[in-house]
Amino acid sequence: MASSTEGNTRPIRLADIAKAAGVSHGTASNVFSRPEIVREEVRERVKAAAEAMGYAGPDPKGRLLRAGKVNAIGVATTEPLCYFFDDPFARAMMAGISQACDATGAGIALVSAGNEEKLAWNIQSALVDGFILFCIEGGSRLVELTRERKLPFVALELGFDDDTVSAIGVDNVAGARLAAQHLAELGHRRFAVLALPFADGSTGPVSPEKVRTALYTGTRDRLVGYFEAFSRYGVDTAGIPVYETENDEASTRAGLETIFASAEPPTAILAMSDRIAMVAIEWLAARGIAVPGDVSVVGFDGVPDAAICDPPLTTVAQPIAEIGRRAARTILDFDGTVRRETLGVELVVRASSGPPLKTV
């Protein structure tokens, strides 16, 4: 920010520099914005006047706002800022977003906060052309806050029905069906599901009522896909334990403790994210439960980490980086159209799934 003259609280402005250097306002402006078109002796005179008066240059925010475009995308979540770096899905998504931004020279601003008040302020004050929303949890509030900003935005993993919002996601029912069918064809008949959130701020065993009233349809759709496949193999889905997690280590471990306290624990676990699946594999290994010898584990996402965990994870792979690239282009090339895209998925079979030791 420009400084003030002594005894005067008014900030030094470019007009003051131009007057002191004996040049026009336009020439002074060009010294800071397009110096190559100004003669060297004039540039030096303007810079000397600016330095003497403590003027660092025009406020870049003002220049960008006058131009009507800042060439930057905000990526927002209700999760803590560390989510972008800790979560393997978020890291893979950010790689795709970054590729699209690099191709156009656009910047990225990460928008997060520990509470709603700070999140609202961060969204309102972010100097960006539009937002990509990670709607994993708190998605409806995130959309509401972003609407108030009146900038373009696109939601990832929206998880709830709103045809007025641009969104990019995958066919969750079809993907979950692939995972469940794979395990059923291997001979498994005792299953458990470690779920993503059905609503904000809740974990624990899931009732049919919670499924019916789920805020996040993405979670519900994955469960629907699992159960559709199981029904074709004569599995009583009412007997399958479903535990809602927060997609983190603590709630996943709590779910596993509950599930394996049963007299008839599952021989196969369906995890609604690779992060949940990898926590499950670690938990099972620590208790001497072999994967896949005793229990098979199948994830959902296809994050790079899944290929190198021990054992490598069987998963439903979604095109994460491509989703990120498309989301970024939706903002960078925004034309006022609401766009909703559903991309395909594929089952990637690795070493974490196999037939049960005994016929069940």
Side-chain angles (χ1 to χ4, degrees), residues 128-201:
V128 296
D129 296 314
F131 292 93
I132 296 172
L133 310 182
F134 277 75
C135 293
I136 307 302
E137 187 170 345
S140 56
R141 181 57 178 152
L142 194 57
V143 168
E144 181 184 344
L145 289 170
T146 309
R147 279 192 202 275
E148 293 173 1
R149 185 69 193 275
K150 301 187 185 306
L151 287 175
F153 67 92
V154 58
L156 308 179
E157 287 298 313
L158 181 61
F160 55 91
D161 295 322
D162 188 339
D163 291 338
T164 68
V165 174
S166 291
I168 303 175
V170 298
D171 189 335
N172 286 299
V173 174
R177 196 185 295 127
L178 287 173
Q181 181 177 317
H182 167 67
L183 290 171
E185 288 179 346
L186 287 171
H188 292 277
R189 293 299 181 270
R190 293 206 310 268
F191 304 95
V193 176
L194 291 169
L196 290 168
F198 286 86
D200 291 336

Side-chain angles (χ1 to χ4, degrees), residues 149-336:
R149 185 69 193 275
K150 301 187 185 306
L151 287 175
F153 67 92
V154 58
L156 308 179
E157 287 298 313
L158 181 61
F160 55 91
D161 295 322
D162 188 339
D163 291 338
T164 68
V165 174
S166 291
I168 303 175
V170 298
D171 189 335
N172 286 299
V173 174
R177 196 185 295 127
L178 287 173
Q181 181 177 317
H182 167 67
L183 290 171
E185 288 179 346
L186 287 171
H188 292 277
R189 293 299 181 270
R190 293 206 310 268
F191 304 95
V193 176
L194 291 169
L196 290 168
F198 286 86
D200 291 336
S202 67
T203 63
V206 175
S207 67
E209 177 63 21
K210 177 166 250 185
V211 176
R212 282 193 297 271
T213 60
L215 172 63
Y216 293 104
T217 57
T219 304
R220 184 195 65 201
D221 287 349
R222 291 185 189 183
L223 190 63
V224 167
Y226 294 150
F227 282 8
E228 281 184 2
F230 290 148
S231 295
R232 296 173 186 173
Y233 289 85
V235 176
D236 180 12
T237 57
I240 297 176
V242 179
Y243 193 97
E244 181 181 20
T245 77
E246 292 186 322
N247 196 33
D248 65 359
E249 186 169 328
S251 59
T252 298
R253 289 178 176 274
L256 290 161
E257 294 284 356
T258 299
I259 290 167
F260 281 87
S262 168
E264 286 193 323
T267 63
I269 294 173
L270 288 149
M272 287 194 189
S273 79
D274 286 350
R275 186 180 191 183
I276 293 171
M278 291 186 284
V279 171
I281 289 174
E282 290 180 0
W283 186 93
L284 293 165
R287 286 153 182 78
I289 302 173
V291 176
D294 298 317
V295 178
S296 288
V297 179
V298 176
F300 200 118
D301 280 338
V303 301
D305 304 46
I308 58 174
C309 73
D310 185 20
L313 179 65
T314 295
T315 185
V316 176
Q318 50 180 314
I320 306 173
E322 177 61 20
I323 292 171
R325 287 190 289 268
R326 291 191 186 201
R329 288 197 294 266
T330 297
I331 302 303
L332 295 170
D333 303 329
F334 182 68
D335 60 4

